Amino acid sequence: LKQKGFMYEDRDGVWKMKTMEDLMDKSVKKIPKNILHLFQVCTWDFGLDDETLKGRRINFIFAIKQRNDGKINSHKWFFQGICKYLKPEFTLMLDIGTRADDYAIAKLYKYMRNNASCGGCCGEIEVDFSTHKNYDVSYMIKAAQFYEYKLSHSPDKCCESFFGYNSVLPGAYSLFRWKAIQGGPMDKFFKLVNSDIDPTCPEANEYLAEDRVMCLQIYIKENSGYYLTYIPDAKAFTDAPENLTILIK
């Protein structure tokens, strides 16, 4: 940060971050509210003993939004602000409260690499009980969510995957092919965000869960033939709410 000119040294010799006014282009009269701060670092090694990972050059980009404008705004920054220029082969979405199991992401990646017609896939999300030791009210609330997660994955996603179309690949844990979501699917996904007109009641209800819109548009994308699937052994664990107030929110 010092080398890039983002910090300055005060009279006491303490290094401090510059203000937004000092960092922005002087031609910009008013600082926009929708700002994304990006920090990039390149590493050659994960520090692991696995020989296959040694010497691999990996770029990490840490992005922080200036303010919290919701999930769909984060998706817009990710897809249209980062992926649009990096042009990745695959895009992984993983919630901050979700932890992928060992080799789970590798299983999703391997499947997508071996099946060029797969537009997106997801694994099973399970409620994490590893830190819960007491059988109290919060345990029962998490147990109810555990049952709901199992019910939505085991029968539903398995059956839908048999026909090649999963109605929703959860934004909390899923992998998409970048070519599959470009164009029509992404335009539909951000339709309400990019529009200045207030949506009608049916439109607002349709876009209440944008993940479903994305999956449908990938499946019906013209001249593509993409399908969506569910990989049960690529498991991830999520930190579920422990009280009814947070669960209802």
Side-chain angles (χ1 to χ4, degrees):
L1 293 175
K2 294 178 185 178
Q3 295 175 354
K4 296 292 183 180
F6 293 121
M7 302 181 73
Y8 71 96
E9 188 177 9
D10 64 7
R11 295 179 180 179
D12 299 325
V14 179
W15 285 91
K16 296 181 178 179
M17 288 292 296
K18 292 183 178 179
T19 62
M20 291 296 299
E21 288 80 2
D22 295 331
L23 296 175
M24 293 291 291
D25 193 322
K26 300 304 179 184
S27 61
V28 180
K29 302 300 180 183
K30 185 179 179 181
I31 299 177
K33 296 180 179 179
N34 195 21
I35 297 177
L36 187 72
H37 304 277
L38 295 174
F39 302 90
Q40 185 267 345
V41 66
C42 181
T43 179
W44 289 89
D45 198 344
F46 270 126
L48 302 177
D49 295 330
D50 192 340
E51 293 292 335
T52 60
L53 296 176
K54 288 186 176 181
R56 293 288 183 93
R57 186 176 182 180
I58 303 172
N59 287 295
F60 291 94
I61 299 176
F62 181 57
I64 305 176
K65 293 198 295 184
Q66 179 75 5
R67 67 175 189 176
N68 184 13
D69 286 323
K71 181 184 73 172
I72 190 67
N73 177 261
S74 299
H75 284 163
K76 190 173 182 181
W77 270 118
F78 177 63
F79 288 124
Q80 296 188 335
I82 297 177
C83 294
K84 179 180 179 180
Y85 298 99
L86 294 182
K87 295 179 175 56
E89 186 176 359
F90 306 113
T91 62
L92 173 71
M93 291 196 288
L94 186 69
D95 268 6
I96 193 67
T98 304
R99 171 179 58 86
D101 199 8
D102 294 344
Y103 302 103
I105 296 176
K107 292 174 183 177
L108 298 180
Y109 171 77
K110 184 177 180 180
Y111 184 89
M112 295 283 280
R113 288 282 293 178
N114 294 334
N115 298 272
S117 297
C118 182
C121 64
C122 72
E124 180 182 356
I125 301 178
E126 187 175 295
V127 174
D128 188 4
F129 283 100
S130 60
T131 59
H132 210 110
K133 302 185 182 301
N134 299 322
Y135 293 93
D136 50 11
V137 177
S138 61
Y139 181 89
M140 298 303 296
I141 294 174
K142 292 182 70 172
Q145 296 174 78
F146 178 88
Y147 173 77
E148 193 276 333
Y149 272 104
K150 282 293 183 182
L151 196 63
S152 64
H153 283 84
S154 298
D156 294 352
K157 280 188 169 52
C158 287
C159 181
E160 291 177 345
S161 185
F162 178 79
F163 294 99
Y165 169 62
N166 282 82
S167 59
V168 56
L169 299 182
Y173 176 51
S174 56
L175 185 68
F176 289 100
R177 190 178 301 276
W178 176 241
K179 288 183 179 181
I181 64 177
Q182 282 182 298
M186 196 174 300
D187 293 340
K188 286 286 186 179
F189 187 70
F190 296 116
K191 178 182 177 181
L192 296 189
V193 182
N194 295 331
S195 177
D196 296 328
I197 303 174
D198 292 334
T200 62
C201 186
E203 283 181 330
N205 186 58
E206 179 185 356
Y207 284 85
L208 189 62
E210 300 90 356
D211 301 334
R212 296 183 179 275
V213 176
M214 175 75 84
C215 292
L216 177 61
Q217 294 303 317
I218 292 174
Y219 187 71
I220 65 175
K221 189 175 183 180
E222 294 184 359
N223 304 319
S224 298
Y226 288 119
Y227 70 91
L228 307 170
T229 192
Y230 163 64
I231 303 174
D233 61 338
K235 188 174 292 187
F237 301 92
T238 188
D239 186 16
E242 296 186 0
N243 60 72
L244 288 176
T245 304
I246 299 177
L247 178 60
I248 294 173
K249 288 175 67 176

